[in-house]
Amino acid sequence: MKKAFLFICLATVLFVACKSDQSQTKREQISAASTQASPFVLAGQWIAMDFCARANQYGSVLGAMNNAHVPYAYAFEFLPDLADSVICYDGNRSWKLAVKYKRDTLEFQNAFEGKSIFAIYHSQGEKDMTVFDGTKGRTRMDRYIKSSANTADAFGAFMVALHHNLFQGLMLPIGKGTSRDSLLFTPGGSILKWKEYDTYRVCVTADCLTAKEPYDVIILAKSDKPNSERRFAFRYNATNDTLTLYHLIPNRADEKAAHDIGGVAYRFRRIQPQQR
């Protein structure tokens, strides 16, 4: 009787241990799978970081475009409630594409003329994403990272990163009669310690880049003054430490036509953080 009882106890212990091992293995499998690409893992705002880095290198949006390419979208947004879709942003509009997942590979279907683009999510490394776009001939690659900006939409997050890469550092006005106080272009689109303007936005779309010559365009405004927006062309010098804003002269016959470059409006010497 005692032997039978011991046998039952031993069998019970082995069964519980086996079930525990199976449960642990299942938990490990679920945990491993959860790091792979899925709407839940990718949930958030993804921005074209390669483009922002090129803008930093050239001190120019046009430089980033002309020395490489414009990405398929400036930003993507993944929402758990839209598990089979991704929202794309190009600065003018947003649109949805159907998405298929296969481990860490994503297919964005019908991206252009029935063709797909593909993305690889690097789940084991930087946890960034490389997008491959071969819809218009030669395949173009762009690196995207998940933003922590927490803006209203993914395009806003992209603009935060772009502004940071173009204008990081303090700006010291140059020229007669200018203030000796430095001002700051924040990534969020505010300008601190400048009386003339307190908000800005850089142009990234063709309809906004209205200068006849290859100059970048920035829109400045005073938040407490209605209809105060003004456009200026801007350009850095070769070493990206002097920023010059130029007046844009509108076409008298057609205000929407390309603008001529006028005289210097403002000039700043940029002081990078490491130079302080």
Side-chain angles (χ1 to χ4, degrees):
M1 184 70 179
K2 288 184 179 179
K3 289 183 179 180
F5 178 75
L6 290 173
F7 177 78
I8 292 171
C9 290
L10 180 59
T12 301
V13 170
L14 290 173
F15 176 77
V16 171
C18 182
K19 292 293 288 182
S20 178
D21 289 342
Q22 289 176 350
S23 298
Q24 178 65 25
T25 301
K26 189 172 183 180
R27 284 195 297 270
E28 290 174 354
Q29 289 173 344
I30 292 173
S31 176
S34 68
T35 65
Q36 294 178 350
S38 73
F40 302 97
V41 170
L42 299 181
Q45 301 168 341
W46 291 77
I47 59 175
M49 199 59 213
D50 276 351
F51 186 88
C52 294
R54 289 195 298 268
N56 176 289
Q57 176 185 353
Y58 298 110
S60 166
V61 171
L62 286 174
M65 292 176 174
N66 296 334
N67 288 283
H69 59 268
V70 178
Y72 174 80
Y74 286 127
F76 296 109
E77 189 158 11
F78 294 89
L79 301 172
D81 293 340
L82 294 173
D84 59 351
S85 302
V86 62
I87 305 174
C88 312
Y89 297 84
D90 69 358
N92 280 326
R93 64 190 181 99
S94 64
W95 67 99
K96 294 178 185 177
L97 293 178
V99 179
K100 280 189 174 181
Y101 294 85
K102 186 176 181 180
R103 296 184 180 178
D104 284 339
T105 300
L106 295 79
E107 179 185 359
F108 300 165
Q109 297 181 308
N110 198 26
F112 180 75
E113 295 184 348
K115 301 176 183 178
S116 296
I117 62 174
F118 296 86
I120 304 295
Y121 171 59
H122 305 123
S123 58
Q124 301 303 317
E126 296 292 330
K127 297 192 182 300
D128 55 5
M129 185 166 58
T130 302
V131 174
F132 301 84
D133 177 10
T135 60
K136 299 179 182 179
R138 184 178 178 180
T139 300
R140 301 179 301 185
M141 294 187 297
D142 289 283
R143 175 175 173 258
Y144 289 73
I145 65 169
K146 185 184 286 190
S147 172
S148 59
N150 194 31
T151 54
D153 57 44
F155 181 70
F158 165 77
M159 291 302 295
V160 167
L162 181 65
H163 286 159
H164 171 73
N165 276 272
L166 280 171
F167 300 113
Q168 59 181 311
L170 296 174
M171 297 291 183
L172 185 65
I174 301 173
K176 293 182 179 180
T178 58
S179 170
R180 293 186 179 182
D181 295 329
S182 59
L183 53 97
L184 180 69
F185 288 73
T186 72
S190 297
I191 307 174
L192 305 182
K193 299 184 178 180
W194 197 15
K195 292 182 179 179
E196 283 84 350
Y197 300 99
D198 59 11
T199 66
Y200 76 100
R201 184 174 79 255
V202 172
C203 291
V204 296
T205 57
D207 62 315
C208 188
L209 293 164
T210 56
K212 283 183 181 178
E213 299 177 52
Y215 277 74
D216 289 276
V217 174
I218 187 171
I219 301 173
L220 304 179
K222 188 74 171 174
S223 58
D224 60 355
K225 292 184 179 181
N227 304 316
S228 63
E229 281 195 355
R230 286 195 62 190
R231 296 188 182 198
F232 297 86
F234 76 88
R235 177 172 284 182
Y236 277 102
N237 65 341
T239 52
N240 283 349
D241 58 12
T242 300
L243 173 66
T244 304
L245 274 60
Y246 300 87
H247 292 290
L248 284 174
I249 303 173
N251 187 315
R252 292 183 180 179
D254 183 0
E255 292 184 357
K256 295 182 180 180
H259 294 66
D260 289 314
I261 304 299
V264 172
Y266 306 99
R267 181 171 281 132
F268 306 95
R269 180 168 65 88
R270 179 160 68 159
I271 305 171
Q272 295 279 23
Q274 63 267 25
Q275 294 177 300
R276 285 187 242 171

